Amino acid sequence: MVNFKPEKDLQPPNSGEEFAFPFPPYEIQLDFMKSLYGVLQSGGIGIFESPTGTGKSLSLTCGSLTWLKDFERLLEEELGSKIAQLRTEIAALEKENEVASDWITGQYNAMGQRKELGELLLCKTALEEYKKRLQAMKEKATVLKKRWSTAKDGDGALKTEPWQQDVIADEDEFLIADDSDSDDSGDERRESEKEPDRYRPVQIVFCSRTHSQLSQVVGEVKGTQHAKELRLASLASRQSLCINPDVRKLKSNTLINERCLELLKKGGKGKAGTEGGEENSGTKKRRKIAQSCPYYNQRAIEGLKNGTLFEVPDIEDLVKAGKREKACPYYASRAAVPDAQLLMVPYQLILHRRTRQQSGIDLHGSILIIDEAHNLLDTIAAIHSQELTHEQLQQVKMQLAAYKARYFARFSTKNLLRINQLIFIATRLGKLLSPDVKQNAASEQSTGTNVRSSRMIQTQDLLLETDTFNLDFTEIIAFCERSRIAQKVHGFAQSAPPEILAQSAAPAINRPKVGSTSKEVTSSMKSLLKSLEEKQKQKKLQSQKKLRERRSENKASEQENVKESPQKMVSNVIRPLINFIECLIEGNSGDGRVLLSYNAKEPVQSSMKFLLLNPGARFEEIVQSCRSVVLAGGTMKPTEELTEQVFQNCPERVTIKSYPHVVLPDAVLPIALARGPSGKDFLFNYANRQDQQLLDELQSTLMNLCYVVPNGIVAFFSSYEYLEQFCKRLEDSGNRARMEERKRIFREPRTTGQVERILSEYAQAAKSTTGALLLSVVGGKLSEGLNFSDELGRCVVVIGLPYPNRTSPELVERMRYLDRTLAKQSPTANTAGNEYYENLCMKAVNQCIGRAVRHIRDYAAVVLLDVRYCTGTESSIRRKLPSWISDQMVCADRYGQAHGSLVKFFRDHKTERTKEAQESQ
């Protein structure tokens, strides 16, 4: 890779116009962009907190893109001037050498300049070739854009594709290749040898939590001047980008991925065959009918990449263009990765190393911007965790044993060894979860007849107890990836009759040996395989014949045909096992633990879960690779866990900025309420969960708020269980009917499918003259990512401090690990574990608060119900609230004090809105 670093420091612009901001920026927006510009120029790390509604995403994109354009311009200028300077110096030295007596010394002095000049000329050549290639791509994109503009309206829709014949399952259908265990490192070395001649510009990688958030950012970028000369690519999963109707109809992302890879594997492999007479082991064999995805066409994909790269596309734009061009948007987006200036990606594609590599993303020298980064470390820990149940391990053994029996005679020695090793691993892990092992568990908790127990062990202890310490997990994983055995076995299990899988699970599976022979496959299994498979083939042939005959009919008849031959759904259990083994490899450095959970009542639900205790180390790898890292969010506090766990080795690079809200101070009324109307303390801790008087006090407070607050109120409870307890008390007391006279009551559902309906009904009621009360849960489906602006959230109520269960084995182990590795300097300060425990609570509170006040003309009250908000120390509670809340928060000893403030707050804003409406008329 060829690169050149300019020596001159860039200075940030002083106006919004120079940042290409689409409208006059607020003071905090301009300061945000200037600070961001400085962080990128210095190669630093930035942590930016800017409340929702302050234009955070737009400030991030405009500030970073402005720096990138300035940097690219400066690079070309300095590269040209440096080459000219070196040429002048070399010419002067050569002239001196002509008259100098010591010619050798003169040549030696010029040697360094010539070497540097050669490197710079190589860089300039690579840069010119890169610009020529971009220009050629842009010309092709212009031609394609003209064709799109003249296309008919109906051309954007997918036309009915000719029926792609399903492959007839034969003995080669799910057989792994003989070279699956070969070493392909030579190819990788050859690829790396080509790298030095290629120019690689600085790339901005923008991450967010969801595709909808990324699409919103793309929409904002389209409205700026940056969009005119910007190369942007949006990455997403196959589930979001696939346009093949036969693949899209599959229900899960895993099935879509597997089907896509199968179609690509079959593409170009032979021609449509006929029924052959070739025999193998006495059984007839059929050649496969070739099938590939009609949208995987390299020329069309290249055209789609060129056509969309310069158009600032979001996911919907990419899918629409893919349908128009009959080209795969998924592979077109990945082909655009190296040439994009701005790359839009979800968290998972960046934070997991293997996924990042498979997506073709190289973060070396890039700028990484992570929006909504408040839960960064928790997200990394979740991505690098994997759970396996006893039932899944039994299924792994059953499917692998049946697969091995089916293809035993045709496996190479190396492939058979790897399959035997996988069976052995699944067997030993399953034995660790068996009921007899459960008897030795360290801790047991009895609840009636249901006995649960758990124990936490280190990864090396797991390897010792399962007798797998001498296996090369790295080689096993490499084999799994090359052979795609997870997809192969899953496809085999879906197509095989249940009797085959059941029979394979009957005998005990002992540890296999390398020198195993065909005697391992019993004669009864062979005969069962043969008879059942012949019946299965006959059924499939008949079904395929009917489908081919009727496919040309309308869509309704096609759906009927599919119903005639339903495919049984078998979960892919090999993939979780492979993921678990990957976790063991990465967690063998001491920062990984395995939680064994036993369930005596339902042994198949016993499980083991890999836990990553040090997610900061995984992100530190990314930090070291990138030029700059920027973390931004509406509520980033507390930031100490980031500086202590991720950036502790480079504190000098870190810049922390926390900005106030764009609304005026009087647009927010934060109140911490210590007691209710009758004077009872609001202490919503675990000991008071059954306190009926406390529930009654809470009812009275919410009742009063319903009479004072107009439109919508959103109240957040600490858990679904406490919300259920409150609702039951509300019903039993008869207060629900009284409360609904003032506001209609809605409750957050447990199931995701009902969320949209509840939100729609709540929004309609909140905007009415009656108003509405929405009872929600901290950390639930409504506490993050939703917008309760204007009438939807005139008041946000947080009930208690939502501390997680401190007896949870996962939390206990994580706190212990932090106490050992992050010792506090001051002996009186909170321990690192307790700090983490408190941070979990306060981050959840801050997310709830952030649901309201979403734009400059919005206003709302924020009521925090718990005496600890008033009595907590400045460092532990109030300091961890957003600055626009903590700076003006009022602690009310009793509800009566807060009532007057609330009445005045909403009366003043009502008067102000009425005055504005009259002036506008």
Side-chain angles (χ1 to χ4, degrees), residues 256-509:
I256 291 174
N257 288 339
E258 291 169 4
R259 184 58 174 160
C260 174
L261 293 173
E262 286 293 337
L263 291 178
L264 264 59
K265 192 84 171 179
K266 293 161 189 169
K269 272 196 170 185
K271 300 178 181 178
T274 57
E275 298 180 9
E278 185 180 350
E279 297 185 0
N280 182 31
S281 301
T283 60
K284 287 189 177 181
K285 175 180 176 181
R286 291 184 183 274
R287 292 196 182 99
K288 292 185 286 187
I289 297 176
Q291 179 195 27
S292 63
C293 179
Y295 305 101
Y296 188 72
N297 180 292
Q298 290 292 350
R299 185 174 180 180
I301 288 174
E302 183 70 16
L304 178 60
K305 181 202 80 170
N306 295 336
T308 56
L309 183 61
F310 300 90
E311 295 298 313
V312 192
D314 58 16
I315 294 173
E316 292 182 2
D317 296 331
L318 195 56
V319 170
K320 186 177 179 181
K323 291 178 179 180
R324 186 188 297 115
E325 286 298 297
K326 305 296 185 291
C328 177
Y330 177 80
Y331 285 100
S333 65
R334 269 146 181 76
V337 168
D339 298 315
Q341 293 172 299
L342 180 59
L343 201 58
M344 312 297 292
V345 296
Y347 282 167
Q348 292 77 5
L349 294 185
I350 290 295
L351 300 180
H352 191 267
R353 184 197 304 148
R354 183 176 292 272
T355 306
R356 185 169 67 246
Q357 292 171 348
Q358 291 174 345
S359 301
I361 301 174
D362 183 6
L363 291 179
H364 182 74
S366 298
I367 293 169
L368 178 62
I369 299 176
I370 300 182
D371 198 6
E372 303 297 333
H374 54 275
N375 281 333
L376 176 65
L377 294 179
D378 296 330
T379 302
I380 295 173
I383 289 174
H384 290 82
S385 297
Q386 179 65 50
E387 186 172 14
L388 280 176
T389 65
H390 193 221
E391 183 179 17
Q392 284 178 317
L393 291 170
Q394 289 176 330
Q395 289 290 324
V396 170
K397 290 191 297 180
M398 182 172 65
Q399 293 181 17
L400 281 174
Y403 181 73
K404 171 186 168 184
R406 176 66 185 84
Y407 297 107
F408 182 86
R410 308 188 62 198
F411 285 135
S412 67
T413 305
K414 285 187 176 181
N415 288 347
L416 184 60
L417 171 64
R418 298 305 182 197
I419 293 172
N420 283 340
Q421 288 175 334
L422 286 172
I423 294 175
F424 176 69
I425 293 171
T427 303
R428 300 298 295 179
L429 291 177
K431 187 176 181 181
L432 199 61
L433 293 176
S434 59
D436 56 331
V437 178
K438 188 268 306 177
Q439 304 290 336
N440 301 322
S443 62
E444 293 192 357
Q445 301 169 348
S446 299
T447 307
T449 59
N450 184 26
V451 178
R452 292 179 180 271
S453 58
S454 65
R455 63 186 180 119
M456 189 78 67
I457 60 176
Q458 296 191 11
T459 52
Q460 54 265 39
D461 293 332
L462 177 77
L463 300 180
L464 289 171
E465 291 189 31
T466 57
D467 197 24
T468 56
F469 61 91
N470 58 344
L471 296 179
D472 191 338
F473 282 170
T474 303
E475 286 298 321
I476 293 173
I477 291 299
F479 160 76
C480 292
E481 294 300 325
R482 286 192 294 263
S483 66
R484 297 181 51 247
I485 192 170
Q487 291 85 354
K488 295 287 187 181
V489 175
H490 182 231
F492 167 79
Q494 283 189 305
S495 63
E499 294 88 342
I500 293 181
L501 300 177
Q503 178 71 15
S504 66
I509 303 175

Side-chain angles (χ1 to χ4, degrees), residues 744 746-747 749 751-764:
R744 189 177 170 189
F746 295 88
R747 180 177 167 184
T751 57
T752 306
Q754 299 179 13
V755 171
E756 288 189 12
R757 178 182 62 82
I758 294 295
L759 284 176
S760 177
E761 294 177 1
Y762 167 75
Q764 186 176 1

